[in-house]
Amino acid sequence: MKKEKYNVTGMTCAACQANVTRCVQKLDGVEEVNVNLLSGQMTVDYDETKLDSAAIAQAVEGIGYGASPADAVPDAKGGGFRSEWEVRQSRAREEQHSMKVRLVASIALLLPLMYVAMGSMMGLPVPGILTGMENAMISALTQLILTVPILVLNRKFYKVGLKALVKRAPNMDSLVAIGSGASLVYGLFAMYRMAWGFGHQDMAVVHEYAHALYFESSAMILTLVTVGKYLEARSRSKTSDALGKLVDLAPKTAVIIKNGQEMTVPAEQVAAGDIVVIRPGESIPVDGVVTEGAGYVDQAAITGESIPVEKMPGDTVISATINKNGTFRFRASKVGEDTTLSQIIRLVDEAGNSKAPIARLADKVSGIFVPVVIGIAILTAIVWIVAGQDFEFALSNAIAVLVISCPCALGLATPVAIMVGTGKAAEYGILIKSAESLENLHSIDTVILDKTGTITSGHPEVTDIEVLDPSMSPEEFLAQAAALEAGSEHPLAQAVVEKAKGDGDGVSSVQAEDFQARTGRGVSARISGKTWLAGNLAFMEEEKAMGPEQETALVREKMGQYASQGKTPLLFVRDGQAAGIIAVADTVRETSRAAIRKFKEMGLTVVMLTGDNKVTAEAIRKELDIAEAVSDVLPTEKEACVRSWQEKGHKVAMVGDGINDAPALTRADIGIAIGAGTDIAIDSADVVLMKDSLQDVVTAIELSRAVVRNIHMNLFWAFFYNILGIPVAAGALFPAFGLRLSPMIGSAAMSLSSVCVVTNALRLRFFKPALGDQADGPEKAEKDAEKTDSMTENIPGDSGVDRKEEQEEKGMVTMKKTLVVEGMMCEHCKMHVEKALAGVAGVDSAQVDLEKKTATVSMAEDVADQVLMDAVKEAGYEPVSCTAQ
């Protein structure tokens, strides 16, 4: 099977879309057809052994439209999606400009035409040569002369509409062409009757037909439809704003190293393996791995993270992200259509062009809509003539039926909302692969979450430090514990080492000797002449390393308390005596807590899957108030868990990290891969989240519900308008109330209906998630800082708030100084500057305000301004000034 995209020209309404779909679907070898009216594109899945692209294009041309493979566009060759997008936008701009010129010229001619035709009836001063029965033919000729240019300007309606009618695939243009053409023909007939009256001196006939000219109706119908089409085109162009923003993110040039020299080349020409140079303020052109240098990269456009991420050698960088600070080089790994940005653009474009199940009803109606309307118009004329009305009355009602009917509103109801919805999702770092996935998300009633990497960070962190040996301080215990664990590659050991480094205790001053690791048990080594062991309680008992039974019981109790909280306690023993316990856990993200609360508010059942034991799983379940936690689950058993909930009648969304969750993601009604980062092409997922935040799952469901509500409103309006408008236009209210709808009002209403549907869909551009982006903004940074403070508040020597308050109580703080510091951008910067200033002799504490770019220093004794500024400079930042408070 081959999947190919085509550009289709000549489509103007939903009936056109339905005609093209029906025509191609009939071809032998075609499996699936998706035609998108908004983008003017068609995607076809077909068997290459039975069919080729030429035959498909020929079939479309056979019913009056143009078709050509999308990659056959000359201007788009070799330039990837950017070039294709530019060609597409250029065509849209040209079409919009042409329509605007046509509209302005039509209005300029319509105004004098309406003046000549209706000026005297409205009491306006009209030249004598155009008034009176004796001048009726002059007035008629003047109207015809003004009408013909309008018909010529808008000949596209006749050219496309009549051609489609001949090909037995009528569309909206066919209705407009028949309606305005019938008005024109009747006007010409009236002129002939007037001429006959003048020739036979029958002024009664002249008088009758002088007021039955329909030239202004013919011109007005074409002009008002063009007004509607122009407004619709302008509105539709906004539906792809999000996609345009994504395309604009990619830099057009890149600086690479060639033969030892820097060279600027088009971004499309960067090849895998090239060394790319990035300076402050520059966008990253392709994906790659940093080889030298460092910088802080703003990844907000791709992942939604508001805080710049530090990039060091070995770290990956993503295309279209911006280097805020620092200079580095990286080796290109993914280029051209393989970059993260290109894949995001492709997913968003394909999702916008795909068809939602809810659109099928509208498609079926659109396919038979125009022939049915033409039949109703003919029937209307016949019924009124049979009822005794004159031909003019019957013709007027028939024309009103033709021009008020609007298949466009039906056809636009779903695709416009889908395109805006998928684009909006992309702005929040949510990639929805198809319209069907976007629609199905709203019906989800159960969310199954994989624990590791989804609810939790996936990285063990130290949560508690408890010193059991009274002869040791917490800093000394942590430093020696880290020195012991430094030789181990186990994630829990690395968490201890990272904690020591983060607190500044370090491990460089303490060295371990005779290090030995016991797989699954623990480690041992000699530090400062003493024997240290670290591991679980079973390891200590095996080694007979514990002291008296009473001490062992106390340690066992404390270890059990930490385990019951879902933490992993590590016991450290020095020379046969328990030195302390360090509890490590895969911590729950704050964003996960907020998201799970929101799931419950939305009426969703939350289920957690974890490979942890029942005690740990139950602790996390209680902490997060989750409905059900399934423990001891192997990766191969996750799919069965999802299936069991589906068998109970639930609509299930499975959220996982996309690595070992593929079977479960595929089985679920909606598979959501969270925190995919650069791995966005996960085939098993229906939705890919660029951030490691469950809040984006909430946003995706909320957006789906908003889109489906919008589509329901659009479809209701489209059906209601046509169901109500067609009978009124046919004259259903005339017998009872004497009310009729003129063709001019009908054409205006038809134009307005399409504009209303598109405008309503565009409201989705103002969608805001209930949880917002607080998880990634300054508030999160404050929470993280508070959390870090709370974890270290019991460790003496910390230069935080507690120390400052203690010294203030003792009257030791005598003065404060404020430094203005450039280059600080995130919480890491804040921490570095505070640590550098707190390390200066005489400084009690330092507080950094990122927004104001200031650092306030509290001192027990006067410290020279230059000393403080030098400390900041050594930390890698630029001090601007230092003033005493």
Side-chain angles (χ1 to χ4, degrees):
M1 297 298 292
K2 182 179 181 180
K3 187 172 187 175
E4 193 166 23
K5 187 183 285 186
Y6 294 79
N7 292 318
V8 181
T9 58
M11 294 192 299
T12 57
C13 70
C16 299
Q17 178 179 286
N19 290 334
V20 173
T21 302
R22 190 165 51 242
C23 165
V24 177
Q25 191 73 65
K26 288 179 181 176
L27 297 176
D28 184 33
V30 172
E31 182 172 306
E32 187 178 357
V33 183
N34 263 325
V35 181
N36 189 282
L37 175 65
L38 286 175
S39 62
Q41 292 191 321
M42 171 178 69
T43 305
V44 185
D45 290 335
Y46 65 94
D47 188 345
E48 292 178 273
T49 61
K50 297 181 179 179
L51 203 60
D52 59 21
S53 58
I56 294 173
Q58 189 175 353
V60 175
E61 289 165 1
I63 59 169
Y65 303 94
S68 61
D71 58 3
V73 181
D75 294 337
K77 266 191 175 179
F81 189 87
R82 180 195 284 275
S83 297
E84 182 189 335
W85 174 259
E86 289 174 352
V87 170
R88 204 190 292 180
Q89 292 299 96
S90 176
R91 282 177 177 167
R93 284 193 296 269
E94 287 175 12
E95 184 180 345
Q96 199 169 315
H97 176 71
S98 171
M99 202 179 293
K100 184 178 181 180
V101 171
R102 197 168 77 234
L103 175 61
V104 171
S106 297
I107 292 174
L109 290 165
L110 182 65
L111 292 175
L113 171 60
M114 297 300 293
Y115 172 72
V116 172
M118 306 182 73
S120 56
M121 287 187 284
M122 298 172 67
L124 298 175
V126 179
I129 195 172
L130 297 175
T131 59
M133 283 301 102
E134 65 278 10
N135 294 320
M137 186 56 77
I138 297 174
S139 176
L141 281 169
T142 304
Q143 291 179 49
L144 179 61
I145 290 169
L146 290 169
T147 299
V148 170
I150 295 176
L151 301 182
V152 173
L153 283 168
N154 296 283
R155 61 189 179 277
K156 182 181 178 182
F157 291 109
Y158 295 100
K159 184 179 177 182
V160 175
L162 296 178
K163 186 178 180 180
L165 197 60
V166 171
K167 299 283 186 180
R168 292 187 297 177
N171 55 22
M172 192 206 73
D173 288 347
S174 303
L175 297 179
V176 174
I178 294 171
S180 62
S183 298
L184 175 68
V185 170
Y186 187 78
L188 292 172
F189 168 74
M191 284 186 67
Y192 274 96
R193 290 292 289 157
M194 288 169 63
W196 184 90
F198 276 119
H200 292 79
Q201 300 300 311
D202 189 346
M203 297 306 290
V205 172
V206 174
H207 185 271
E208 177 185 351
Y209 285 98
H211 294 91
L213 294 171
Y214 271 80
F215 293 133
E216 78 282 0
S217 290
S218 178
M220 180 68 85
I221 288 168
L222 292 174
T223 304
L224 287 176
V225 172
T226 303
V227 169
K229 285 287 183 186
Y230 176 67
L231 293 176
E232 181 187 316
R234 287 192 60 182
S235 298
R236 277 163 52 178
S237 67
K238 295 177 183 176
T239 63
S240 56
D241 278 357
L243 195 57
K245 288 175 184 176
L246 284 173
V247 174
D248 291 340
L249 284 176
K252 294 183 178 180
T253 60
V255 178
I256 64 173
I257 302 297
K258 207 83 168 178
N259 300 322
Q261 300 292 322
E262 290 188 6
M263 180 184 299
T264 302
V265 298
E268 292 84 359
Q269 293 181 14
V270 177
D274 283 349
I275 299 297
V276 184
V277 181
I278 298 294
R279 294 184 173 84
E282 293 182 349
S283 292
I284 295 170
V286 296
D287 293 8
V289 179
V290 177
T291 56
E292 59 179 287
Y296 282 89
V297 177
D298 182 356
Q299 301 184 156
I302 301 297
T303 66
E305 297 169 286
S306 59
I307 299 177
V309 179
E310 186 176 11
K311 297 295 181 181
M312 304 291 286
D315 291 339
T316 58
V317 289
I318 308 172
S319 55
T321 55
I322 301 172
N323 180 35
K324 290 291 189 179
N325 194 13
T327 299
F328 60 88
R329 296 182 179 186
F330 72 91
R331 187 180 304 278
S333 58
K334 292 182 180 179
V335 299
E337 297 300 290
D338 295 327
T339 65
T340 297
L341 180 65
S342 295
Q343 293 184 58
I344 291 173
I345 291 170
R346 177 178 54 78
L347 283 177
V348 174
D349 189 43
E350 288 178 358
N353 287 332
S354 62
K355 190 158 292 182
I358 199 171
R360 289 169 190 157
L361 173 63
D363 285 349
K364 288 178 182 176
V365 173
S366 299
I368 60 170
F369 186 85
V370 175
V372 168
V373 168
I374 293 173
I376 293 173
I378 294 171
L379 184 63
T380 298
I382 294 171
V383 168
W384 282 117
I385 290 173
V386 170
Q389 294 291 344
D390 57 28
F391 181 73
E392 179 193 344
F393 183 94
L395 179 65
S396 175
N397 286 345
I399 292 172
V401 168
L402 289 170
V403 297
I404 199 172
S405 308
C406 187
C408 274
L410 281 172
L412 293 170
T414 301
V416 177
I418 291 293
M419 186 169 282
V420 177
T422 52
K424 195 67 185 175
E427 289 182 18
Y428 287 102
I430 303 167
L431 306 182
I432 299 173
K433 290 188 175 182
S434 69
E436 185 175 359
S437 300
L438 180 60
E439 181 186 339
N440 290 342
L441 260 171
H442 92 284
S443 61
I444 292 300
D445 59 30
T446 303
V447 180
I448 297 181
L449 307 172
D450 178 45
K451 191 206 80 172
T452 305
T454 302
I455 295 176
T456 62
S457 63
H459 303 289
E461 295 178 8
V462 172
T463 58
D464 302 87
I465 300 173
E466 185 169 354
V467 181
L468 301 177
D469 186 344
S471 67
M472 297 181 69
S473 68
E475 300 98 320
E476 182 186 357
F477 168 63
L478 180 58
Q480 301 214 13
L484 174 61
E485 297 284 21
S488 173
E489 295 181 356
H490 195 282
L492 299 181
Q494 293 303 309
V496 175
V497 174
E498 287 176 12
K499 173 65 175 173
K501 288 180 179 177
D503 287 359
D505 295 320
V507 293
S508 59
S509 60
V510 185
Q511 297 295 325
E513 300 172 349
D514 300 331
F515 176 85
Q516 290 183 355
R518 317 288 172 83
T519 305
R521 287 288 185 264
V523 297
S524 64
R526 289 187 62 79
I527 301 174
S528 302
K530 297 182 182 296
T531 302
W532 279 78
L533 287 87
N536 54 33
L537 203 56
F539 173 60
M540 300 303 169
E541 291 175 347
E542 286 175 8
E543 296 294 317
K544 296 182 173 53
M546 295 295 291
E549 184 64 31
Q550 185 178 0
E551 181 185 6
T552 304
L554 176 64
V555 169
R556 191 185 301 277
E557 181 184 347
K558 289 183 177 294
M559 298 274 282
Q561 289 174 354
Y562 287 122
S564 67
Q565 297 170 17
K567 301 170 183 177
T568 301
L570 301 176
L571 177 59
F572 291 81
V573 174
R574 182 179 67 169
D575 283 345
Q577 182 181 358
I581 298 172
I582 296 180
V584 181
D586 186 3
T587 54
V588 175
R589 294 190 178 104
E590 289 301 316
T591 54
S592 298
R593 297 179 194 277
I596 290 169
R597 282 196 300 271
K598 189 63 181 175
F599 285 145
K600 294 178 68 179
E601 290 173 13
M602 296 166 75
L604 303 176
T605 302
V606 182
V607 180
M608 180 183 75
L609 303 183
T610 176
D612 293 336
N613 59 53
K614 191 171 183 178
V615 173
T616 301
E618 185 62 18
I620 296 175
R621 188 197 71 77
K622 288 180 179 177
E623 180 186 354
L624 298 176
D625 194 19
I626 292 173
E628 183 175 333
V630 184
S631 61
D632 301 304
V633 177
L634 297 174
T636 53
E637 297 172 341
K638 293 179 181 179
E639 185 267 347
C641 293
V642 172
R643 187 170 65 248
S644 68
W645 278 89
Q646 289 175 321
E647 289 170 353
K648 296 175 187 175
H650 293 279
K651 291 284 186 181
V652 178
M654 171 68 192
V655 186
D657 58 16
I659 298 169
N660 57 13
D661 303 317
L665 291 172
T666 304
R667 163 62 63 180
D669 296 284
I670 294 292
I672 303 175
I674 187 170
T678 57
D679 185 20
I680 69 166
I682 301 176
D683 295 333
S684 52
D686 303 295
V687 179
V688 179
L689 308 182
M690 299 302 292
K691 286 184 290 183
D692 293 321
S693 174
L694 273 181
Q695 288 185 332
D696 286 345
V697 180
V698 175
T699 300
I701 295 173
E702 287 178 334
L703 181 59
S704 172
R705 291 180 177 182
V707 168
V708 171
R709 274 197 308 270
N710 193 280
I711 290 173
H712 285 159
M713 290 171 64
N714 284 344
L715 288 174
F716 172 79
W717 165 252
F719 279 111
F720 174 78
Y721 164 81
N722 282 293
I723 290 170
L724 180 68
I726 291 175
V728 171
L733 299 179
F734 184 75
F737 305 101
L739 296 175
R740 290 176 59 201
L741 201 65
S742 78
M744 287 182 285
I745 295 176
S747 61
M750 186 266 278
S751 298
L752 185 62
S753 67
S754 294
V755 174
C756 285
V757 165
V758 175
T759 304
N760 184 50
L762 288 176
R763 289 191 307 113
L764 289 168
R765 295 196 305 161
F766 305 107
F767 168 83
K768 296 287 184 186
L771 292 176
D773 289 333
Q774 66 265 44
D776 298 301
E779 293 178 24
K780 177 179 183 290
E782 288 179 15
K783 288 178 182 176
D784 287 347
E786 289 169 8
K787 183 177 174 184
T788 303
D789 289 341
S790 68
M791 288 170 58
T792 58
E793 65 184 1
N794 294 322
I795 302 177
D798 182 50
S799 59
V801 178
D802 290 345
R803 181 179 167 190
K804 175 187 168 187
E805 290 177 351
E806 181 185 348
Q807 291 177 335
E808 284 179 343
E809 288 173 7
K810 295 177 180 179
M812 293 170 63
V813 176
T814 57
M815 67 180 302
K816 291 184 178 181
K817 290 188 178 182
T818 300
L819 292 87
V820 176
V821 182
E822 291 294 336
M824 297 189 299
M825 299 168 56
C826 66
E827 289 301 308
H828 294 293
C829 301
K830 177 181 177 181
M831 181 183 71
H832 290 157
V833 172
E834 286 180 345
K835 190 171 290 185
L837 289 170
V840 175
V843 173
D844 294 325
S845 67
Q847 295 290 322
V848 168
D849 187 324
L850 282 176
E851 290 186 7
K852 296 179 180 178
K853 301 293 183 187
T854 61
T856 302
V857 181
S858 299
M859 300 166 291
E861 59 186 56
D862 189 16
V863 179
D865 294 354
Q866 192 59 47
V867 172
L868 296 174
M869 294 175 75
D870 286 345
V872 171
K873 201 164 189 177
E874 286 176 11
Y877 301 89
E878 189 62 38
V880 176
S881 63
C882 181
T883 55
Q885 291 188 4

